[in-house]
Amino acid sequence: MLSFATVVYSKDFPLLELQALSFARFVDPDMVSSIHVIMNDCDEDTLRAKIEPLLASYGPLRSKVQVLGGDDLLLQPGQYARRSLSDRIMIENRFRIPGIRRQGWRGSNGYRSQQVLKLGAARVAASENMVILDTKNVFLRSFDPTEFFADNGAARIAFIDVQSDYHRNWLVESLDALGASGTDLNGLRTTTFATPFAMRRSLALALLDEINDRYGSVQALFGSRRRPSEFMLLNAFCLKSPDGYAPWFEDHAQCNIGLWPTYSPEEMASQLAMLDDPAALMLGLHNRALSLLPGDLRDRVFSELEDRGICTQPRAEEVLNRAATLTG
């Protein structure tokens, strides 16, 4: 059984409808333990009111879907070791301070609180095997759980070389945060840091326990001057342990398509050409990338969603245009 978690905020919430429709189209309810839609927003009441009408799109999976706020993952008894006065003021009550209030959970930086909530999702998952999603992820076909988890329980995910500066910096910061700054990075390969991200609940919970011991809470770590990332922290936890990656992750290539706002039209076209590959499992539609797609590529996305039985072209166009409008 699989548990899924998607972190949603007010600038990309319309995309949840396409994800839900793809769940209804391709995901067997018998393989799903739970689906959590986790709000990452300073104004949860308003966001919840926008999300609720979309939940019917999950079809036969609707009964397995629960919408949660950040407090449900971060501030319940047993979810933290301590809460300092500065944490209470600058993290938990940041939304009360107009000059520094941001759009994320309790007024925090949305990018960083999103990472906190992805790790925190392990606290509410109904099964050991989890898949973390972003709102932009849309399933393109049916799949078997063995595409995400090996028979021995290891999460199957692509491993990549540490080449880019941001990848290296995230990993170095994460290792340092867990007291493993002496790790040799030469020739090292880590898991990818993109969604869908399969992981075992027990790994994330063990990581969260260590973070609590060191920093009081995971939100305190991400609210500090340190700059780890959620997925590189999971890697760092494995790298510092005697058994390494073996119990937790297995290098396994997947064909997932991603559209990012930094891509050129040529890169966008190259990514969308992968739709012709029957192995393509998921399409990632970044909200800011939608408004940058040339007309012919936008039409390709709309027609693809209809051809795969996810939704009609007009419905896809309405959802994607609404999402693009939120980012200007």
Side-chain angles (χ1 to χ4, degrees):
M1 299 284 281
L2 301 178
S3 291
F4 295 88
T6 299
V7 179
V8 183
Y9 78 116
S10 56
K11 295 295 185 181
D12 70 357
F13 82 90
L15 297 178
L16 184 67
E17 182 175 353
L18 295 182
Q19 183 178 111
L21 289 167
S22 74
F23 262 98
R25 174 71 177 88
F26 294 121
V27 182
D28 181 356
D30 290 339
M31 74 168 66
V32 178
S33 294
S34 62
I35 300 172
H36 286 100
V37 175
I38 300 166
M39 296 181 291
N40 176 27
D41 207 83
C42 188
D43 185 356
E44 290 184 352
D45 290 342
T46 298
L47 181 56
R48 184 184 292 271
K50 294 175 179 177
I51 289 173
E52 288 290 346
L54 307 181
L55 301 182
S57 297
Y58 282 97
L61 288 157
R62 173 63 185 90
S63 63
K64 297 177 183 282
V65 181
Q66 185 178 13
V67 180
L68 297 178
D71 290 13
D72 297 311
L73 281 63
L74 305 175
L75 294 181
Q76 301 308 302
Q79 293 180 348
Y80 53 86
R82 56 191 178 275
R83 295 155 68 193
S84 67
L85 178 61
S86 62
D87 287 348
R88 290 173 185 267
I89 295 173
M90 299 303 296
I91 296 176
E92 296 175 25
N93 286 282
R94 197 178 187 90
F95 66 96
R96 302 182 189 276
I97 311 174
I100 62 172
R101 181 176 58 210
R102 304 292 291 275
Q103 189 61 43
W105 171 73
R106 286 185 167 260
S108 60
N109 178 292
Y111 171 71
R112 298 194 61 70
S113 55
Q114 174 180 263
Q115 298 178 65
V116 171
L117 294 170
K118 286 178 179 177
L119 291 176
R123 292 172 171 152
V124 296
S127 62
E128 169 70 357
N129 294 343
M130 301 178 58
V131 180
I132 303 296
L133 303 174
D134 287 312
T135 320
K136 64 178 181 285
N137 297 131
V138 178
F139 287 106
L140 295 173
R141 60 171 174 80
S142 300
F143 60 91
D144 187 272
T146 57
E147 292 191 50
F148 286 112
F149 291 91
D151 290 341
N152 67 355
R156 287 178 158 165
I157 194 166
F159 274 60
I160 57 176
D161 295 327
V162 182
Q163 293 182 331
S164 65
D165 289 340
Y166 56 83
H167 183 183
R168 179 174 293 273
N169 289 340
W170 287 336
L171 180 58
V172 168
E173 289 278 348
S174 297
L175 287 164
D176 184 65
L178 298 186
S181 56
T183 303
D184 185 6
L185 303 188
N186 290 326
L188 183 65
R189 289 167 58 83
T190 76
T191 71
T192 183
F193 38 79
T195 54
F197 192 94
M199 67 180 189
R200 292 177 58 184
R201 180 173 186 257
S202 55
L203 170 62
L205 291 177
L207 169 63
L208 288 167
D209 285 345
E210 177 165 344
I211 291 173
N212 283 356
D213 287 344
R214 290 176 178 271
Y215 302 98
S217 67
V218 65
Q219 57 267 31
L221 168 58
F222 278 82
S224 71
R225 294 182 180 276
R226 294 179 178 274
R227 290 296 179 264
S229 76
E230 76 281 51
F231 298 142
M232 286 304 105
L233 279 167
L234 290 165
N235 278 264
F237 189 88
C238 293
L239 288 167
K240 66 174 288 188
S241 67
D243 294 327
Y245 283 110
W248 307 111
F249 293 107
E250 176 184 290
D251 188 356
H252 183 79
Q254 280 187 342
C255 182
N256 294 306
I257 303 166
L259 301 179
W260 294 89
T262 54
Y263 284 177
S264 67
E266 292 75 22
E267 289 173 312
M268 296 276 199
S270 176
Q271 284 290 309
L272 287 178
M274 295 167 61
L275 289 168
D276 295 328
D277 187 343
L281 175 61
M282 189 161 280
L283 173 63
L285 294 166
H286 193 284
N287 58 338
R288 291 198 304 273
L290 300 174
S291 60
L292 302 176
L293 279 176
D296 60 328
L297 296 185
R298 287 171 65 85
D299 290 343
R300 175 74 195 274
V301 172
F302 301 149
S303 62
E304 195 71 33
L305 295 177
E306 180 169 273
D307 291 346
R308 293 176 186 262
I310 297 171
C311 64
T312 64
Q313 289 194 46
R315 187 171 185 179
E317 186 169 4
E318 189 277 328
V319 170
L320 296 179
N321 286 341
R322 188 154 38 105
T325 300
L326 291 175
T327 57

